[in-house]
Amino acid sequence: MAVTTFKPEIWAQLLLATLDKALVYGQAGVVNRDYEGEISQQGDTVRIGAVDDPTIGDYTGAAIVPEDLTTTEQTMPIDQAKFFAFKLDDVDRAQVASAGGLMQESMRRAAFGLRDVADQYIASLYTGVAAGNTLGTVAVTTGDIAYGVLRDLGVLLDEADVPMEGRYVVVPPWFHGLLLDVDRFVRADAYGSTRPIRNGEVGEALGFRVLKSNNTPNPAGDDNVVQAGYSGAISYAEQIVDTEAFRSQDFFADVVRGLHVYGAKLTRPTGIATCVASQT
């Protein structure tokens, strides 16, 4: 690949598109990007404002005195920065029929690596869940127990006034395998084509879109965190702030590198519910 043909804006768009397709925890419907704004570099801060609910009072005919609303602010630092950098040797380029295809495949693999790291980071936010929204550790050894965990997580969300619309739950592959034994679990291949399927989506149960991921946190042994919630609970913002290609000064090779910055915050700790599911 000649460096003169490199177009940073096109490559950056390709990288973000690949990243979006691969994400589970970081995709729309699990997180929101309402506050992404203009991120330019690591160290930026996204400020998230909120206002308290107005008081509802009885009308008696007396004069109504408007109350002063109280506003609060949370900050989401863009404190994560990951990079990739690789080179395509001239000898390899000469021996490969399609050097452009090799370079694009390397970019896809770089995007996959960034996706994996960002996904794990977002998944780790479960530790901020509200104290009353966790089931603790549950031994999940049958499909019926797995289904019961989803039911109980749904009840916790109900009690926290989490909207029914758009609820999701992320489970590890072994947990999904148990759900397949339950007739009440609807597999994704039975949906038809009435709506888009999310990344990692494998079925429906109890009002949840069930998503499967290998990035469910593993706090100990054979335990995995099952997380349920809705997209209003976690905010995520990212940007590919730079991609560039240049001729190596030390090798007969072209070099491509890029920088991905992002941040995420659990802004509504009552908007998720969790369980540590144990296989034993």
Side-chain angles (χ1 to χ4, degrees):
M1 183 195 77
V3 174
T4 54
T5 66
F6 181 78
K7 298 180 180 179
E9 67 281 4
I10 294 176
W11 283 83
Q13 291 167 10
L14 170 64
L15 186 63
L16 274 177
T18 306
L19 202 67
D20 287 343
K21 289 177 182 177
L23 283 170
V24 174
Y25 283 91
Q27 68 181 311
V30 178
V31 298
N32 69 79
R33 301 191 181 192
D34 297 341
Y35 312 103
E36 198 151 45
E38 295 296 326
I39 300 172
S40 60
Q41 61 186 349
Q42 182 186 18
D44 285 353
T45 299
V46 177
R47 300 189 179 278
I48 304 171
V51 62
D52 289 347
D53 293 335
T55 301
I56 305 301
D58 294 323
Y59 180 66
T60 62
I64 297 175
V65 180
E67 66 178 315
D68 292 326
L69 293 179
T70 302
T71 59
T72 57
E73 182 180 85
Q74 298 186 57
T75 59
M76 180 173 66
I78 306 304
D79 55 359
Q80 304 296 305
K82 308 297 178 182
F83 75 92
F84 69 88
F86 61 86
K87 61 185 177 68
L88 179 60
D89 191 274
D90 289 352
V91 174
D92 294 333
R93 182 177 60 185
Q95 294 177 347
V96 175
S98 175
L102 177 62
M103 186 66 78
Q104 289 207 2
E105 178 58 23
S106 298
M107 289 288 287
R108 291 189 187 95
R109 298 306 300 170
F112 178 84
L114 293 176
R115 186 278 312 170
D116 200 40
V117 173
D119 228 34
Q120 292 177 49
Y121 176 74
I122 298 170
S124 72
L125 299 180
Y126 82 93
T127 56
V129 63
N133 277 34
T134 179
L135 300 176
T137 300
V138 178
V140 181
T141 55
T142 68
D144 286 338
I145 296 176
Y147 197 82
V149 165
L150 301 190
R151 178 198 61 219
D152 293 343
L153 290 175
V155 170
L156 291 178
L157 294 179
D158 290 342
E159 293 175 343
D161 294 325
V162 172
M164 287 293 299
E165 297 78 12
R167 288 187 182 183
Y168 70 85
V169 61
V170 186
V171 305
W174 66 264
F175 192 103
H176 168 239
L178 293 176
L179 287 174
L180 292 175
D181 293 333
V182 181
D183 292 338
R184 293 162 290 175
F185 174 71
V186 181
R187 301 189 315 274
D189 58 10
Y191 291 170
S193 57
T194 57
R195 62 172 175 78
I197 302 298
R198 288 179 186 160
N199 302 326
E201 185 170 346
V202 291
E204 283 185 343
L206 297 165
F208 291 117
R209 281 187 172 188
V210 181
L211 312 176
K212 179 175 65 174
S213 173
N214 280 322
N215 281 336
T216 54
N218 173 224
D222 60 357
D223 299 346
N224 291 93
V225 175
V226 174
Q227 177 180 310
Y230 83 121
S231 63
I234 299 175
S235 295
Y236 175 65
E238 68 170 357
Q239 189 63 264
I240 300 296
V241 296
D242 200 8
T243 54
E244 59 185 12
F246 56 91
R247 189 66 180 169
S248 172
Q249 295 182 354
D250 302 313
F251 303 95
F252 294 106
D254 292 334
V255 177
V256 177
R257 63 187 183 186
L259 178 63
H260 180 214
V261 301
Y262 57 93
K265 187 179 183 68
L266 176 60
T267 56
R268 298 185 191 323
T270 58
I272 65 170
T274 65
C275 168
V276 177
S278 176
Q279 300 182 62
T280 57

